[in-house]
């Protein structure tokens, strides 16, 4: 035995949750690229704040990528951090619903709720060996 868990139908919900985590990572990479462009082209920026925001965005992208990769490899220890990422996304979506753009807030809320649900469903738990 190699110690790997067998692939099963239970893994489908977890696989979709991991795909959505990778989608969130791609969104953070796009945000980081956008912030880099703003940092380089804006005339009236406070450099320390702009650079720190860009670095934090890049670090968040790396963290979400690491969590998605670990969860994709069926590490049960990655499930908690994946849910924390979704909680941050829910908070961001709620904030955007209040101040706008509302479409982005609604989208983030839906994405976070769907991802968290897929990760927490009983078939995902079985795929991780939690049951």
């Amino acid at each position: 035995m190699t110690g790997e868990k067998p692939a099963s139908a239970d893994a489908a919900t977890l696989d979709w949750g991991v795909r959505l985590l990778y989608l969130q990572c791609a969104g953070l990479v796009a945000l980081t690229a956008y912030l880099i462009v703003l940092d380089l082209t804006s005339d009236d920026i406070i450099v320390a704040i702009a650079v720190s925001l860009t670095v934090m965005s890049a670090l968040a992208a790396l963290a979400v990528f690491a969590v998605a990769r670990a969860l994709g490899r069926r590490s049960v220890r990655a499930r908690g951090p994946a849910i924390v990422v979704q909680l941050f996304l829910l908070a961001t979506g709620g904030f955007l619903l209040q101040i706008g753009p509302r479409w982005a807030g609604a989208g983030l809320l839906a994405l976070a709720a769907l991802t968290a649900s897929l990760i927490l469903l009983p078939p995902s738990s079985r795929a991780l060996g939690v049951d």
Side-chain angles (χ1 to χ4, degrees):
M1 291 201 126
T2 61
E4 294 181 22
K5 296 181 178 105
S8 68
D10 288 341
T13 57
L14 184 62
D15 289 340
W16 276 105
V18 169
R19 287 181 186 117
L20 291 177
L21 278 170
Y22 279 124
L23 177 68
Q24 293 170 16
C25 177
L28 284 166
V29 168
L31 174 65
T32 302
Y34 176 70
L35 290 173
I36 289 171
V37 169
L38 284 181
D39 292 349
L40 296 175
T41 59
S42 184
D43 293 335
D44 55 335
I45 63 168
I46 300 172
V47 175
I49 294 173
V51 170
S52 64
L53 183 61
T54 304
V55 168
M56 290 300 290
S57 175
L59 290 174
L62 287 172
V64 172
F65 178 80
V67 167
R69 185 173 175 186
L71 199 59
R73 292 181 176 190
R74 307 295 187 259
S75 171
V76 70
R77 295 178 66 184
R79 190 159 115 164
I83 296 303
V84 169
V85 168
Q86 302 319 300
L87 292 174
F88 280 123
L89 207 57
L90 286 168
T92 303
F95 180 72
L96 286 175
L97 274 179
Q98 291 176 2
I99 66 160
R102 291 181 191 270
W103 62 268
L108 286 179
L109 285 173
L111 177 63
L114 178 61
T115 306
S117 297
L118 286 170
I119 293 169
L120 292 173
L121 281 172
S124 295
S125 297
R126 283 190 296 273
L128 289 170
V130 175
D131 273 351

